[in-house]
Amino acid sequence: MLLSNAISLIKLLFVKDKELYLFIHRITGYYPRDIKLYQLAMVHRSKPVKRPDGRWANNERLEYLGDAVLDTVVGDFLYTTFPNKHEGFLTSTRAKIVQRESLNRIGNSLNLDRHVHAMMRSSSHNSYICGNALEALVGAVYLDQGYKRCRSFIINRLIKRHFDLNELVKTEQNFKSRLIEWTQKYHVTIEYELVDTYSDADKNPVFRTAVILGGLFASDAVGYSKKEAHQAASKKALERLKQDQQFCEQVLATAL
């Protein structure tokens, strides 16, 4: 460990982005091996950087990877932490942790906004820049340090420091989790279908998603990410089930 730290400190003398190098160590507990991964993790799609080969790059690919790693690690952690809880509970609790609002809150707490390169526009999409960067950071840690260290970072530095699990399980579930639990309770199938993708006036991608319950169209909604669209469509579906008795009965009639 001492030798590893000594090598990292020597490397610090030669690394160009010393501020980011030390920042990553402070929030992850690890000295970066490849600082370029973390530099890319801080590049929002609104302000891409030009690679040496002439291509433009941003943190979207790392964000995609980090999202997948987060789902896996959080799912594994909850499975072990709550050995007697059913699948619906585990699904809804994981959703509360990895939802965009939670990740954005953590990203702001970690001061990721001080390092993210983005064009600040008057768009609601910007409210999730830190959350997106956090997912990209997880992707960078996974590639740079491996799964074991990335798992430790997520559990010890993100979950345990930013969530009170006892309080979390008591809070109102997010709309997608509530809808999933409803379908599980009544043995109704649920599908989320990507209906359309397009760009808004600021060239941010917009996703339209539909919720299908028991093979019946329930609702659709748009969002600046698939997760956001899922949440909005789920909220509308829950409202329809509550307000439209005939539709609710039609859905229940499809129960397996």
Side-chain angles (χ1 to χ4, degrees):
M1 179 63 72
L2 291 176
L3 177 60
S4 176
N5 287 339
I7 292 174
S8 297
L9 291 175
I10 293 173
K11 186 178 180 180
L12 176 61
L13 298 175
F14 300 96
V15 72
K16 290 183 179 180
D17 199 340
K18 293 182 176 62
E19 184 179 358
L20 181 62
Y21 189 86
L22 292 173
F23 174 72
I24 296 302
H25 175 259
R26 180 173 65 81
I27 64 176
T28 68
Y30 308 123
Y31 286 106
R33 294 170 179 166
D34 184 355
I35 192 63
K36 292 181 180 179
L37 285 170
Y38 302 95
Q39 290 172 331
L40 185 59
M42 298 297 111
V43 178
H44 188 256
R45 65 173 68 90
S46 65
K47 197 174 182 180
V49 295
K50 198 170 187 178
R51 292 179 179 273
D53 61 7
R55 293 185 300 165
W56 292 92
N58 56 49
N59 65 4
E60 285 185 306
R61 282 173 54 83
L62 285 174
E63 182 185 332
Y64 158 81
L65 180 61
D67 177 68
V69 174
L70 271 170
D71 274 351
T72 299
V73 172
V74 174
D76 178 24
F77 172 72
L78 293 175
Y79 183 87
T80 303
T81 304
F82 301 102
N84 299 317
K85 294 294 185 179
H86 57 78
E87 187 267 347
F89 169 88
L90 297 175
T91 298
S92 66
T93 305
R94 179 177 63 181
K96 294 174 192 176
I97 293 175
V98 302
Q99 66 182 340
R100 193 66 56 183
E101 290 77 9
S102 296
L103 298 181
N104 205 62
R105 174 177 59 81
I106 297 173
N108 281 313
S109 177
L110 295 175
N111 296 316
L112 289 181
D113 57 310
R114 298 181 184 178
H115 297 271
V116 174
H117 302 282
M119 293 291 290
M120 300 307 295
R121 302 189 182 97
S122 58
S123 166
S124 62
H125 183 54
N126 286 325
S127 63
Y128 298 120
I129 284 179
C130 282
N132 296 339
L134 180 60
E135 286 185 326
L137 174 63
V138 170
V141 173
Y142 172 74
L143 292 176
D144 188 53
Q145 301 288 337
Y147 179 78
K148 185 176 181 179
R149 283 191 165 188
C150 186
R151 182 180 186 276
S152 176
F153 163 59
I154 293 170
I155 293 174
N156 297 312
R157 299 278 181 139
L158 299 184
I159 299 178
K160 291 185 177 180
R161 291 190 181 185
H162 296 275
F163 294 97
D164 182 332
L165 289 181
N166 292 324
E167 289 299 318
L168 186 68
V169 298
K170 297 177 184 177
T171 59
E172 180 68 13
Q173 301 160 358
N174 67 45
F175 298 113
K176 183 175 180 180
S177 297
R178 287 172 55 192
L179 185 59
I180 290 175
E181 286 201 341
W182 186 90
T183 60
Q184 291 173 342
K185 179 179 179 180
Y186 294 106
H187 306 288
V188 171
T189 61
I190 180 172
E191 297 175 81
Y192 288 87
E193 293 187 359
L194 181 61
V195 178
D196 189 21
T197 58
Y198 56 92
S199 298
D200 66 7
D202 292 326
K203 297 184 178 180
N204 292 312
V206 179
F207 303 87
R208 178 177 293 278
T209 296
V211 177
I212 311 298
L213 300 177
L216 302 174
F217 172 83
S219 63
D220 65 352
V222 299
Y224 283 105
S225 69
K226 292 179 181 177
K227 285 185 176 180
E228 188 178 337
H230 284 194
Q231 284 293 331
S234 298
K235 180 180 179 181
K236 292 172 68 175
L238 285 166
E239 291 173 349
R240 186 177 181 189
L241 287 169
K242 182 178 180 180
Q243 299 171 5
D244 189 339
Q245 185 63 34
Q246 182 179 0
F247 173 71
C248 183
E249 291 175 356
Q250 290 174 338
V251 173
L252 292 173
T254 69
L256 301 175

